[in-house]
Amino acid sequence: MKKDKAVLGNDTTSQIPKEKFPDSDELLTRIRSEYDAALAYRQTRVASWNANEDLLYGKKPPTLTNRSNILIQLMAGFEDTLLAKINSPVIVNFSPVEEGDVMKAKKVTSFFEFERSPQREDWEQKDLLTKKLAMVSGRALFKIYTAHPYKHKLDPVDHYDFLIDPLTSGLSLETARYLGQDNIIKSKADLERNSSYDKKKVKELIDSYAEETSALPDNQNNEKQHRLNVQGFDIQSNYQAGDSTYKLLEWYTHVNGVRYYFLLDLEKKIIIKQRKLEELTPILSESNVPCYPFESWAYYPDLFNFWSPSPMDRVRELFILRNVALNQLFDNNEAINKPMRIYDPNTFKNPALLKYTPDALVPVSAGKDPQTGIHTLQTQAFGTGNAKEMAGILEDLAAKITGVTPAGMGMESSTEKVGIYYGNMQEVEKRMLQFEASYSRCHMRLAQKYLGFLSERLSKAAAVKILGAEGAVIVEQLTNEDLVKFDVEITGGLSAARQDAISKKLKMEFLTSLHGNPAANPMVVAELTARLAGLSEIEIKRLLAQQRKDEKQIVKAAEDLQKLMEGETVAPYPKADTTYLQEIVDFLLEHNLTEKEEQRVTAYFESLQEIVTRNMILKAHLQAAESGMLGEAMGPGTPGPVPGPDTGAPLPDSIGGANMQTAGTIPSVAQETYGQV
C-alpha cells in the first residue's frame, strides 16, 4: 500500500500553497551567497593549513643574512609516527535483522569486501591517504555514490574543495542547510558526452571560454595553490597543458524545503544540471530527506565547529621553536669557531691578509707588536648541557600534547621490557579516543550508504559470483532478493588492535612455555602457534603435514575443490589417497554449501572411492615390501589374493593413518539435509 506523504509525521504540508520555484538568476544569487558564507567560514582555518604544509613539505622561513636556516623535518616525522599508530582500519560486517537472513548477510558482506578490495575501490589505501590529508586540516572527507550501470565509487575529497554551512553541527553533515564540492574538473568531451547535462547550457559554457582560458582549479582566494607552490610548482604556468578543462561547482542546497543538486560554473553563472537530490540518491536520513553523498570524521570533533583543529596544529609551534633553538645553537657554534676580531690599522696595513691561509706571511708595520695589534671578540657558548636541556623540554611538551612519546616513536632503549610497548599502545589509544569514535561512526555511515546504493542500483542482470575467504567457496549469485534490511557492525580500530596484540602476546608466551612439556600435545601447540602467527588454514595443514606427499595431496584437493565451486568439470585425481579424500570430507562438513554445490562435491567424492582404495592397497604393499614382511603377510610361496572392492574386504584402519570405512562414506550432514545422492 502506498503511503500518503502528506500525513507522515503528522505533516500538513498539503494544506500549504506550493511556492514558486526560483528562476535561474535567483538560484545563482542564492548559491553565490551560500558559497561565499561557507568560504569565509573555512578561511579562518586556511592559514593554519598553509602553515602546517610549510613545515610538512620543508619550506624554510625567511631569516637574516648570515644566519643559519636549517629546517629539521620534524613535522614529516610526526606525520609518519602518528599515521603508524592509527593505521588500524575498522572491519565492517552486515548482520541479519531476521534470523532467516544469515546467508544473505554473508553474501552482502562478501560482496562488500570484494568491492572495497585493492582490485576495485581500494578503501584501505584511500582511507590511509585520507588520514594523512586530515592531519593537516583536522577533517577527513569522502564522497560515496554509484556510476551507471552499477559500479560502486568512493572518492576522497580535498578539504580545500569542500564547503559547508557555518551553522552545521560537527556531529553530522545532515544538519547542514547547504554544502558543496568545488573544483570539479571536466573536459570538453566529458561535458558533451554526458546525457544528463543540459546541452544548450553546455554549449553556452564552452563558448564562454572561447576567447580566454578556463579558470584555475581554485577559488578567488587562491587557497589550494599553496600546497603546490610550497613544493616549488607553479600551477598557473602549467594548468593549460593537455585537453581543455572546465572548473565546475557541485552544490547541494534546499529550495522550498526540498534538497536539490546543482552542477554549475559559478563565475560564468551557467547551471548545466539541476535535480532533486531524491532522484540521485535512494538513501534517506532520520528526518526522511535524501542524504548528502558525503561523509566525514575529525581528529578532534567539536559539536559546534565543523572545521575543528588538526593534530599538526597542536605541535606546529613546538616544532618551530625547536628549529629556532637548533639554529641558534648552530649560529652560536659558528660564532665560536669564526669569531670577530679587532685590529690596529697602524700595525696591519692589509687586513685581508689576516684571514687564515696555509703558510701565509702577514706583514707588520715597523716597530709594532702584532700581539697588541689584534684582539679576538669571544662568544660565550650555550653549553652542551643547555642545548640538550632545551631539546628535552620541547620533546616533553610535544609528548604531553600529542601522546606520541619518544618510546611511542620506536625510540625506547633496547634494555626496556617488551611490556612497555603495550603500555605505549594503550597510551596512544587513550589520546586518540575522540578520533576513534568519530572515525568508526563515519565508516558505519559509509557502510549504510553503500548498502542503500547497492539495494537501489544492483539489478538482477548485474548479479555476481562471490569467492569465499580462501578462494574455494562461491556463493553463486547476489540478487535483489538478498538485499533486505541489515544492521551494520563495526569492529577493529585502535582498541581492538591493542587488545588483540596483548592477547596474542600472552597466548604466544604460554604456548612457548609448553615446548618440551610431556603433558602438552605437540601437534595442538604447533597448530595454535601457527594460527597466532596469522597463517591460513591451508598453510597450517601444509605445515603440519607429516610427509611431503601429504602436503601435495592437501594442495591438490584445494585446487580441485575450487574448480568444482566454479562449476568446472574435474576428473578424479588418479593419485588421490585418504589425505585427499579427508580434505573433501572436511570441506563438506565445514562449509555451508547450496544444494547444487553439495551435490557436485558429493558426486566427485563418490567417484574417488575405487581410486583411493587401489592407491591405499598399493601403499600398504610397498610399506610391507620395504619392511621385508610381504611374504609373511601373504603366506609362503604365493602372494595370495589382494583385498579390494571386488572382495568386499575392508582395509585395515591403520593404513595411511585413516579409517577407510569412514572416509568412503558420504557425510551424514549431506544425507540429513538432501537425502541420498
Side-chain angles (χ1 to χ4, degrees), residues 221-407:
N221 299 328
N222 295 327
E223 297 170 348
K224 191 173 183 179
Q225 296 180 46
H226 180 272
R227 185 165 52 207
L228 295 175
N229 292 340
V230 77
Q231 299 176 70
F233 182 77
D234 181 10
I235 189 172
Q236 293 188 4
S237 302
N238 296 276
Y239 177 61
Q240 296 306 321
D243 284 348
S244 297
T245 54
Y246 302 86
K247 182 183 83 77
L248 302 174
L249 170 67
E250 198 175 79
W251 200 249
Y252 301 79
T253 188
H254 289 78
V255 180
N256 298 337
V258 178
R259 280 186 180 174
Y260 271 82
Y261 162 88
F262 298 93
L263 185 63
L264 67 150
D265 186 317
L266 190 57
E267 303 307 319
K268 297 295 184 180
K269 299 182 178 180
I270 300 173
I271 300 174
I272 66 171
K273 182 176 180 178
Q274 68 180 55
R275 293 283 190 280
K276 288 183 179 179
L277 189 54
E278 65 184 17
E279 298 175 12
L280 303 178
T281 174
I283 305 157
L284 300 180
S285 67
E286 292 182 358
S287 55
N288 206 36
V289 296
C291 290
Y292 298 121
F294 299 97
E295 280 302 337
S296 176
W297 58 261
Y299 278 104
Y300 308 111
D302 188 329
L303 184 59
F304 300 110
N305 180 21
F306 181 82
W307 295 116
S308 51
S310 73
M312 289 186 181
D313 291 337
R314 296 193 170 189
V315 298
R316 185 178 65 248
E317 296 296 331
L318 287 172
F319 290 165
I320 292 173
L321 280 173
R322 187 163 187 180
N323 273 297
V324 169
L326 289 172
N327 277 285
Q328 288 177 345
L329 178 62
F330 298 147
D331 287 338
N332 181 252
N333 288 334
E334 184 77 1
I336 293 172
N337 295 330
K338 298 178 181 179
M340 293 178 64
R341 290 174 292 175
I342 301 173
Y343 76 98
D344 180 1
N346 294 322
T347 302
F348 300 100
K349 299 294 184 182
N350 187 0
L353 296 177
L354 292 174
K355 292 183 178 180
Y356 173 77
T357 305
D359 298 326
L361 293 175
V362 181
V364 181
S365 299
K368 296 293 184 178
D369 182 1
Q371 296 294 332
T372 60
I374 190 167
H375 177 72
T376 300
L377 298 176
Q378 296 291 344
T379 300
Q380 184 177 359
F382 280 168
T384 305
N386 289 338
K388 285 186 176 179
E389 183 179 355
M390 174 67 74
I393 291 172
L394 295 173
E395 193 76 63
D396 185 58
L397 285 172
K400 287 180 178 179
I401 291 175
T402 66
V404 183
T405 62

Side-chain angles (χ1 to χ4, degrees), residues 97-148:
V97 175
E98 302 292 337
E99 188 175 350
D101 294 333
V102 173
M103 181 52 63
K104 294 177 181 178
K106 289 182 178 180
K107 288 183 182 183
V108 173
T109 301
S110 296
F111 189 55
F112 172 70
E113 288 299 320
F114 170 68
E115 292 213 286
R116 72 186 296 275
S117 67
Q119 294 78 17
R120 304 284 283 188
E121 279 304 285
D122 201 356
W123 276 44
E124 184 174 352
Q125 176 73 350
K126 291 178 180 179
D127 179 57
L128 186 66
L129 293 177
T130 305
K131 285 176 180 174
K132 181 176 178 177
L133 197 64
M135 287 184 192
V136 172
S137 68
R139 270 284 170 185
L141 296 147
F142 296 95
K143 183 198 289 185
I144 185 168
Y145 59 101
T146 55
H148 180 78

Side-chain angles (χ1 to χ4, degrees), residues 588-606:
L588 282 165
L589 294 174
E590 295 171 3
H591 294 82
N592 190 8
L593 307 180
T594 65
E595 180 177 1
K596 185 178 179 181
E597 290 167 346
E598 188 156 353
Q599 288 174 345
R600 191 184 306 143
V601 176
T602 304
Y604 180 69
F605 175 89
E606 292 179 335

